[in-house]
Amino acid sequence: MERKKTNIEDIDRGIYDIKDEFTYKYKSDHGLSREVILEISKEKNEPQWMTDFRLKSLEIYNSMPVPAWGADLKDLDMDNIITYIRPNTEMKHSWDDVPDDIKNTFERLGLPQAERESLAGVGAQYDSEVVYHNIRKELVDAGIVFMDIESALMEHEDIVKEYFMKLVPPQDHKFAALHGAVWSGGSFVYVPEGVNVDIPLQSYFRLNAPGAGQFEHTLIIVEKGANLHFIEGCSAPQYKVNNLHAGCVELFVKEDATLRYSTIENWSRNMYNLNTKRALVDKNGTIEWVSGSFGSKVSMLYPMSILKGEGARSEFTGITFASTGQYLDTGTKVVHAAPNTTSTVNSKSISKNGGHAFYRGLLKVTKDAHGSKSTISCESLMLDNESKSDTLPVIELYNDDIDIGHEAKIGRISDEAIFYLMSRGIDEEEAKAMIVRGFVEPITKELPLEYAVELNNLINIELEGSIG
Amino acid sequence: MTKWKRIKLNEFKFPKVTDYNKEYLSYGQLPQGVELNKINKTNNNLIIENLNNNITGVGDEFTSHVMANYNTGISLYIPKSTNIEDPIKLEFNMDDENPTTIDQNIIIASANSESTIIFDYTSKDENNFHNGVTKVYAKKNSVVNIIKIQRMDDKSYNFDSNIAYIEGRAVVNWISVEIGSDISGSNFTSILEDEASEGNLASIYLGNGTRKMDLEYTMIHKGRRSISNIETRGVLMDQATKVFRGNLDFKKGAKLSKGVEEEFVVLLDPTVKSHSIPALLCEEDDVQGEHAASAGQINDNQLFYLMSRGLDIREAKQLIIQASFRPILDKIPMDDLRDLILEEIDRRLLNG
């Protein structure tokens, strides 16, 4: 095998980095003001309550301080972020109607092909608006709603109004307030009682414009006894200016329902990824998070599960890969708020070439959550000593009838393991790559096949040139 | 004073500091060259020499309060290759006449020396107050054992900041027993400065009544092949609150270092609050760091077995609690001290 010693900056991120020419139908001014928000709301023809909600969120945003912990956000200049860009197309239901440049972007990302082969429905967002949304007819017949959230706001206003930003209120933190003020695009999914969606739905978010922000809102309601797998993909090409992603995901898992939410996030290295994800799980319901964080300059992402009903369950499987210039502060929060709830957290992180991976987690067991069980396991792998890796899990227990276990390990690839593989005729780099792949295998096996392949490719891209 | 950490100590004011006049120091044979002095405002050369080493400990307000107001403590200088066989013992027994102990202790252990120092804090009357700083300088190859027992009255406040600067191949063993006071904050920091520096911390805590504790143990690995171990066993009951913070911090250059931390807590009542924050910070790839924490109830099978042998439920629980503390207590080499602690634990369990 040829040795590749390029720096990570020079690595071809291939398909992810191909930029389209920046054209648009409408874009808001830089920065944030009452006028910008009124314009966005007007562009979208929104009901008055939503306009009011946006303005109220703006007030909250202005009144809240930037979080003092975690990532350094002082390079993030909100005055230079374009909050709203309408691409040069309307929403389409067939790929043939989507303009060629946008369609080609998604073709390169493999979305239409995946739709044909393995997905039940696809939404594609380009900058601030959803450009494509389609769902198989049999799912529509079963009563499943899968559409962009703007359309949902028109067609299912009562449902959206009932759930929208109820789980993540704008008061939650500064960037939730920002999201409430300028949100645009995203998907709405409603799975009626007892319906089992056995092939996944996917939304793909692509941010093409430089110096812009993407603020999509994903709202998923899985009714009693229903079952859904939802996949979220994100990417953007590399620019010299900072981009911002402050999306919001709200998941409502009702009694006996199951939702699996998978994310492969591959933002470019100029992105601030300050996303908020939260799930509310009713009696005997299950939320399963599968989360891969590879890209972005700064990430602060802690998907949260609130186990509200007795016997609710959450499972978090996450992997974070931090390289040069990246600070990825990720983890998960679990609140056991009802008896006999269980949670499992399995997190892995890899840091290399000066990257900084930070696991930050919270486990909270409230007074009423007797009989609850939780296991948390965090493992960190460091590939060199320029990098950093930190683990900070907070455990808060307010109840004695529980069973909690936590473990964390930090370290590097053992020389013995490499020596063994090399004695079997595998060269050093391949041996390291094999060990890293083995390390993340518990995560890859949770993903649908084509995403597992994508993840492995990403690891190959990331590992090339890292050793030697 | 603002809210103090997770305990949220509201409207706390430092009490008026009065002199501590009781005898507190006892020791056996001191080898030649050992300098052991009680600290007072006129005899504090070692303190002045080490004043620059400002430490944060449980919080800047508390350590600077000690610097400004200390009324007792010791300075101890142990020359090279000297072994102090009999432990040096400091017993602070606060009462109405001597309600505050603000102790400042400096221990300088020269190369190849060995020593054991015991601190025992008790209080007779309500509203006693302890705030202290202990600094240990362990030079090359030295061994310093520090045993700190805090069994103050349930209405007292306790704050204690400890730091050790550990040179190459030196070992500092901390043993901390936290079973008293109403509010207690303690911090033990070990800086493993050089090749094969070693810091060990073993602690037990008992939270009963409405006690609130914030216990922080920090190991900073700077030297190559440095070793650290944090081992904590605790029991919480009634309305007790505990915050455990264990920090393993591997600095760049601490190659081949190893750090382990463990906390096991047994929860006996549904009204307890238990917070655990085990942090692993790492700037060096060639290290091994591990932490584990677990929390749960007493195993029903164990209880059932003991009760089938004729123990009542209280006795059975008591035995299981003692057993969970045992691995830590067994590290204390003095039988009498160990028995004293076990008696104190029993007394507190029975009252509770």
Side-chain angles (χ1 to χ4, degrees):
Chain A
M1 200 175 114
E2 192 194 343
R3 279 174 78 92
K4 293 176 184 165
K5 282 197 185 176
T6 36
N7 285 325
I8 194 79
E9 287 91 342
D10 304 329
I11 277 181
D12 179 18
R13 284 175 72 250
I15 50 170
Y16 302 106
D17 258 348
I18 299 174
K19 297 166 200 172
D20 294 337
E21 198 188 330
F22 178 36
T23 57
Y24 51 86
K25 185 181 274 175
Y26 171 83
K27 92 177 162 63
S28 68
D29 289 338
H30 287 267
L32 206 55
S33 67
R34 229 184 124 79
E35 289 67 40
V36 167
I37 282 160
L38 285 171
E39 267 175 42
I40 293 174
S41 197
K42 203 174 127 221
E43 270 290 306
K44 288 173 173 294
N45 266 327
E46 282 174 351
Q48 188 60 37
W49 66 268
M50 185 54 88
T51 314
D52 295 342
F53 183 88
R54 287 179 184 275
L55 291 172
K56 195 170 147 259
S57 299
L58 177 69
E59 271 171 40
I60 297 166
Y61 172 81
N62 286 330
S63 69
M64 280 181 115
V66 176
W69 50 276
D72 179 2
L73 299 175
K74 69 173 189 296
D75 285 344
L76 178 67
D77 183 5
M78 269 317 292
D79 292 337
N80 276 320
I81 298 274
I82 308 164
T83 49
Y84 181 70
I85 296 160
R86 182 184 282 276
N88 236 339
T89 174
E90 301 297 323
M91 227 260 302
K92 305 294 182 202
H93 294 286
S94 159
W95 282 113
D96 292 337
D97 300 336
V98 176
D100 281 349
D101 52 341
I102 297 179
K103 187 175 137 196
N104 288 340
T105 300
F106 286 110
E107 282 284 0
R108 279 194 296 272
L109 297 168
L111 204 60
Q113 191 196 350
E115 180 184 2
R116 283 191 296 275
E117 287 169 6
S118 57
L119 295 170
V122 161
Q125 177 160 345
Y126 193 82
D127 291 334
S128 296
E129 291 287 348
V130 177
V131 294
Y132 173 82
H133 234 282
N134 194 25
I135 177 171
R136 291 192 186 178
K137 195 174 165 299
E138 60 265 31
L139 297 185
V140 179
D141 294 342
I144 294 165
V145 181
F146 177 48
M147 56 174 60
D148 65 294
I149 195 146
E150 276 84 2
S151 306
L153 189 55
M154 302 297 161
E155 292 171 35
H156 303 279
E157 189 179 338
D158 47 336
I159 305 183
V160 175
K161 196 173 176 180
E162 186 186 341
Y163 290 101
F164 187 83
M165 288 199 90
K166 290 292 184 321
L167 198 48
V168 183
Q171 291 84 353
D172 212 59
H173 57 84
K174 194 173 179 76
F175 294 95
L178 175 66
H179 177 88
V182 299
W183 74 271
S184 179
S187 288
F188 172 79
V189 185
Y190 180 86
V191 186
E193 192 172 330
V195 174
N196 190 5
V197 187
D198 44 12
I199 29 182
L201 296 178
Q202 181 176 21
S203 283
Y204 202 103
F205 302 103
R206 173 82 181 173
L207 184 54
N208 183 62
Q214 195 167 49
F215 308 93
E216 87 289 348
H217 194 95
T218 302
L219 179 58
I220 300 179
I221 300 154
V222 186
E223 288 288 358
K224 197 173 165 183
N227 190 340
L228 174 70
H229 183 185
F230 188 85
I231 301 168
E232 174 196 82
C234 323
S235 71
Q238 177 89 29
Y239 289 107
K240 290 228 156 48
V241 290
N242 289 327
N243 280 13
L244 170 66
H245 175 237
C248 177
V249 174
E250 294 181 291
L251 310 175
F252 295 86
V253 182
K254 300 296 171 77
E255 203 176 319
D256 291 319
T258 300
L259 172 60
R260 167 174 283 218
Y261 193 92
S262 307
T263 309
I264 297 291
E265 175 271 303
N266 189 27
W267 295 115
S268 55
R269 303 264 167 87
N270 56 331
M271 181 67 93
Y272 283 81
N273 182 29
L274 310 171
N275 214 356
T276 311
K277 298 182 176 181
R278 202 162 291 173
L280 186 67
V281 189
D282 282 346
K283 196 175 165 188
N284 294 327
T286 302
I287 176 77
E288 296 169 359
W289 301 95
V290 180
S291 181
S293 296
F294 296 89
S296 83
K297 175 178 178 179
V298 166
S299 273
M300 287 169 86
L301 175 62
Y302 323 98
M304 180 176 187
S305 311
I306 301 170
L307 306 176
K308 192 187 81 169
E310 183 162 357
R313 223 165 60 81
S314 89
E315 221 182 282
F316 177 87
T317 313
I319 173 135
T320 299
F321 198 144
S323 186
T324 311
Q326 290 186 289
Y327 174 79
L328 304 185
D329 197 324
T330 57
T332 186
K333 298 193 268 189
V334 184
V335 178
H336 290 258
N340 303 317
T341 44
T342 49
S343 65
T344 312
V345 174
N346 189 358
S347 160
K348 308 242 181 186
S349 72
I350 302 171
S351 51
K352 70 174 243 303
N353 280 13
H356 190 172
F358 201 130
Y359 175 84
R360 198 188 294 269
L362 171 71
L363 171 73
K364 186 170 178 175
V365 182
T366 64
K367 243 176 141 31
D368 308 316
H370 53 81
S372 292
K373 290 191 169 76
S374 176
T375 33
I376 305 171
S377 151
C378 308
E379 281 182 80
S380 309
L381 188 62
M382 291 179 69
L383 298 181
D384 55 54
N385 68 349
E386 296 156 42
S387 310
K388 281 190 189 183
S389 181
D390 299 331
T391 309
L392 188 76
V394 178
I395 303 166
E396 294 182 9
L397 311 174
Y398 297 92
N399 176 358
D400 67 327
D401 181 13
I402 47 177
D403 189 353
I404 305 294
H406 167 80
E407 260 179 66
K409 275 193 185 125
I410 220 160
R412 69 163 186 177
I413 300 176
S414 86
D415 290 339
E416 284 90 354
I418 291 176
F419 179 78
Y420 173 78
L421 289 170
M422 288 172 72
S423 76
R424 294 287 172 144
I426 294 160
D427 76 25
E428 188 180 343
E429 294 184 23
E430 180 55 20
K432 279 199 178 184
M434 260 170 102
I435 291 167
V436 172
R437 263 183 245 126
F439 178 75
V440 301
E441 199 249 326
I443 317 280
T444 45
K445 74 172 188 224
E446 296 294 323
L447 293 167
L449 183 66
E450 48 285 350
Y451 292 93
V453 172
E454 184 183 339
L455 188 88
N456 269 332
N457 285 339
L458 278 174
I459 287 170
N460 283 343
I461 290 179
E462 294 285 349
L463 273 178
E464 268 174 26
S466 73
I467 302 152
Chain B
M1 173 127 182
T2 49
K3 287 177 180 178
W4 183 69
K5 297 186 174 175
R6 287 186 169 234
I7 289 180
K8 298 189 170 61
L9 193 54
N10 290 324
E11 291 161 33
F12 170 74
K13 282 196 192 78
F14 285 108
K16 189 170 165 283
V17 178
T18 50
D19 288 346
Y20 187 86
N21 293 318
K22 283 197 195 168
E23 181 52 50
Y24 56 89
L25 185 61
S26 63
Y27 47 90
Q29 187 72 37
L30 290 182
Q32 213 176 7
V34 173
E35 289 172 35
L36 172 61
N37 292 302
K38 287 185 185 174
I39 273 176
N40 57 50
K41 294 274 177 184
T42 52
N43 173 17
N44 53 9
N45 289 341
L46 274 174
I47 290 184
I48 289 167
E49 274 171 38
N50 292 292
L51 211 56
N52 291 334
N53 284 313
N54 269 331
I55 65 164
T56 303
V58 292
D60 287 331
E61 308 94 326
F62 292 94
T63 49
S64 52
H65 177 259
V66 174
M67 295 303 164
N69 297 293
Y70 58 90
N71 61 9
T72 185
I74 57 159
S75 67
L76 171 63
Y77 172 80
I78 310 158
K80 273 185 188 166
S81 308
T82 304
N83 181 358
I84 306 180
E85 281 178 17
D86 301 318
I88 293 167
K89 204 165 176 186
L90 288 86
E91 291 168 290
F92 296 102
N93 180 245
M94 286 155 261
D95 55 26
D96 271 348
E97 256 99 74
N98 301 281
T100 49
T101 299
I102 313 295
D103 59 331
Q104 159 100 274
N105 306 292
I106 307 273
I107 295 154
I108 297 178
S110 304
N112 300 306
S113 68
E114 203 174 328
S115 55
T116 300
I117 303 107
I118 300 167
F119 297 81
D120 187 6
Y121 301 92
T122 55
S123 67
K124 259 219 295 273
D125 296 300
E126 294 188 355
N127 303 322
N128 291 150
F129 180 79
H130 166 234
N131 184 16
V133 169
T134 300
K135 293 177 184 169
V136 178
Y137 298 85
K139 307 291 180 186
K140 283 200 172 86
N141 277 317
S142 62
V143 178
V144 182
N145 302 305
I146 309 270
I147 300 171
K148 286 219 163 187
I149 302 160
Q150 187 273 107
R151 48 189 180 110
M152 290 164 68
D153 179 90
D154 282 347
K155 295 272 169 17
S156 303
Y157 280 21
N158 169 64
F159 298 96
D160 198 21
S161 306
N162 301 276
I163 191 161
Y165 300 91
I166 308 171
E167 289 190 1
R169 288 187 179 73
V171 183
V172 171
N173 298 307
W174 305 101
I175 296 176
S176 165
V177 175
E178 281 274 354
I179 49 182
S181 81
D182 181 27
I183 301 268
S184 181
S186 62
N187 175 297
F188 291 82
T189 301
S190 304
I191 301 176
L192 309 166
E193 292 186 317
D194 216 329
E195 178 101 19
S197 297
E198 182 175 339
N200 297 307
L201 183 133
S203 74
I204 61 171
Y205 60 83
L206 170 69
N208 64 330
T210 55
R211 179 167 312 124
K212 292 179 177 172
M213 298 176 271
D214 192 307
L215 315 171
E216 182 166 39
Y217 309 128
T218 302
M219 298 288 181
I220 300 173
H221 288 258
K222 290 182 175 171
R224 285 166 59 94
R225 292 176 202 277
S226 50
I227 302 162
S228 74
N229 196 337
I230 298 171
E231 196 182 348
T232 298
R233 304 288 174 108
V235 171
L236 292 179
M237 56 199 285
D238 305 330
Q239 281 88 42
T241 301
K242 173 247 22 178
V243 182
F244 166 88
R245 304 163 194 271
N247 309 314
L248 295 180
D249 190 351
F250 295 95
K251 299 292 185 195
K252 196 165 176 170
K255 281 190 182 302
L256 301 163
S257 292
K258 197 177 171 187
V260 180
E261 69 177 292
E262 260 185 13
E263 188 211 7
F264 296 113
V265 54
V266 180
L267 308 173
L268 296 180
D269 287 302
T271 42
V272 299
K273 291 178 183 148
S274 172
H275 295 201
S276 301
I277 312 172
L280 256 176
L281 310 169
C282 193
E283 296 177 340
E284 177 62 59
D285 64 325
D286 199 0
V287 299
Q288 280 179 51
E290 261 182 61
H291 65 213
S294 78
Q297 287 178 303
I298 287 184
N299 184 316
D300 282 344
N301 292 333
Q302 289 177 358
L303 265 188
F304 179 79
Y305 174 77
L306 290 172
M307 287 170 77
S308 76
R309 292 291 172 142
L311 270 65
D312 70 26
I313 187 154
R314 213 190 53 223
E315 290 167 331
K317 279 190 174 176
Q318 201 167 329
L319 197 64
I320 292 169
I321 290 166
Q322 280 185 10
S324 85
F325 285 154
R326 206 71 216 200
I328 307 291
L329 290 177
D330 282 348
K331 293 178 197 282
I332 300 175
M334 305 72 168
D335 290 345
D336 52 335
L337 204 58
R338 218 161 44 211
D339 293 342
L340 191 86
I341 295 166
L342 279 173
E343 273 170 36
E344 185 79 39
I345 291 170
D346 282 350
R347 189 180 68 76
R348 284 172 191 270
L349 285 175
L350 287 178
N351 290 347

